[in-house]
């Protein structure tokens, strides 16, 4: 596979976002969103996915975090879609279970070209460090619609909302690492009987 990198800029009246990714990185992470807990979660994706991420996001946080979180999901999805390329030789599927103390989450994905989000997380409280947990759904929905994958997220247990969220994002990173890895036996071939994804 050739270098799998991309930089995407998305500018609207609500947000200005730049995302750079290297899918074959070492987990190098730089992120400024104005949302510290979201930054913490995105660092989990970089570290556990071994994806280099450089994110700069400015949004209308004086109104609400919604636009920034959703548009960041969109922009990250676009960057990963560009970096993946034609998907020849791609493992395509990824899954991970990640525990953190009492919390356990499972994330399963398919870079199928068919966007779909099935997010089953019942957080034990509505805010974590000032971050509205409803916005995680907006982030992942924006992501799947633009990375063009099917994503299943299940929190299987957890009492601490911080732990619940962290297991989700760590598992998301690990599943990305698996799905985006090169399959040597599939080299040069499309991982689909359709011949395209």
């Amino acid at each position: 596979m050739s270098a799998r990198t991309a930089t995407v800029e998305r500018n609207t009246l609500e947000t200005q976002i730049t995302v750079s990714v290297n899918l074959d990185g070492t987990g190098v992470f730089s992120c400024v969103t104005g949302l510290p807990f979201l930054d913490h979660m995105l660092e989990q994706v970089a570290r556990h996915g071994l994806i280099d991420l450089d994110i700069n996001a400015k949004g209308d946080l004086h109104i609400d975090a919604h636009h920034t979180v959703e548009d960041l999901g969109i922009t990250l999805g676009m960057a990963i879609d560009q970096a993946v390329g034609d998907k020849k030789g791609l493992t395509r599927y990824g899954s991970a279970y990640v525990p953190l103390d009492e919390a356990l989450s499972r994330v399963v994905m398919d870079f199928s070209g068919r966007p779909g989000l099935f997010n089953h997380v019942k957080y034990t409280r509505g805010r974590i460090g000032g971050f509205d947990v409803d916005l995680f759904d907006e982030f992942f929905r924006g992501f799947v619609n633009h990375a063009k994958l099917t994503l299943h997220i299940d929190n299987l247990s957890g009492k601490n909302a911080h732990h619940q969220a962290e297991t989700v994002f760590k598992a998301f990173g690990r599943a990305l690492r698996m799905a985006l890895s090169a399959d040597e036996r599939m080299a040069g071939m499309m991982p689909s009987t359709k011949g395209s994804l």
Side-chain angles (χ1 to χ4, degrees):
M1 289 184 174
S2 58
R4 299 189 302 163
T5 62
T7 297
V8 173
E9 290 186 30
R10 177 179 167 83
N11 295 302
T12 73
L13 296 176
E14 297 167 340
T15 61
Q16 298 80 49
I17 299 174
T18 303
V19 173
S20 295
V21 299
N22 176 1
L23 302 185
D24 302 304
T26 58
V28 174
F29 179 74
S30 175
C31 183
V32 179
T33 66
L35 299 164
F37 190 73
L38 181 61
D39 293 354
H40 179 50
M41 293 300 99
L42 293 171
E43 185 173 13
Q44 305 310 314
V45 176
R47 178 65 53 86
H48 295 280
L50 290 179
I51 297 169
D52 294 346
L53 278 179
D54 187 352
I55 297 169
N56 195 318
K58 295 178 182 176
D60 53 2
L61 297 180
H62 60 287
I63 296 174
D64 185 63
H66 186 286
H67 299 142
T68 302
V69 175
E70 179 181 30
D71 287 3
L72 182 53
I74 290 170
T75 311
L76 179 60
M78 292 169 67
I80 286 183
D81 182 55
Q82 283 187 26
V84 166
D86 65 10
K87 300 182 184 174
K88 287 182 180 177
L90 194 69
T91 297
R92 176 179 167 178
Y93 301 100
S95 62
Y97 286 83
V98 170
L100 175 57
D101 298 340
E102 88 299 344
L104 173 65
S105 292
R106 174 183 60 216
V107 173
V108 182
M109 63 181 62
D110 173 13
F111 275 83
S112 61
R114 296 183 304 278
L117 175 64
F118 305 90
N119 190 8
H120 302 110
V121 183
K122 293 183 179 179
Y123 287 100
T124 57
R125 65 179 191 266
R127 301 188 81 79
I128 306 171
F131 188 87
D132 180 353
V133 299
D134 285 347
L135 297 180
F136 287 134
D137 198 66
E138 301 302 325
F139 171 82
F140 285 117
R141 191 168 310 285
F143 179 83
V144 301
N145 285 338
H146 291 83
K148 302 170 189 162
L149 75 153
T150 301
L151 178 63
H152 289 258
I153 301 171
D154 295 281
N155 176 241
L156 304 175
S157 66
K159 295 180 180 178
N160 182 307
H162 186 133
H163 291 175
Q164 289 176 290
E166 194 160 329
T167 59
V168 165
F169 276 85
K170 285 178 176 176
F172 177 64
R174 294 290 299 190
L176 272 175
R177 180 176 168 185
M178 180 187 292
L180 295 174
S181 66
D183 183 341
E184 292 180 6
R185 295 181 65 197
M186 192 66 75
M189 293 189 292
M190 188 65 67
S192 172
T193 55
K194 296 185 187 74
S196 65
L197 285 171

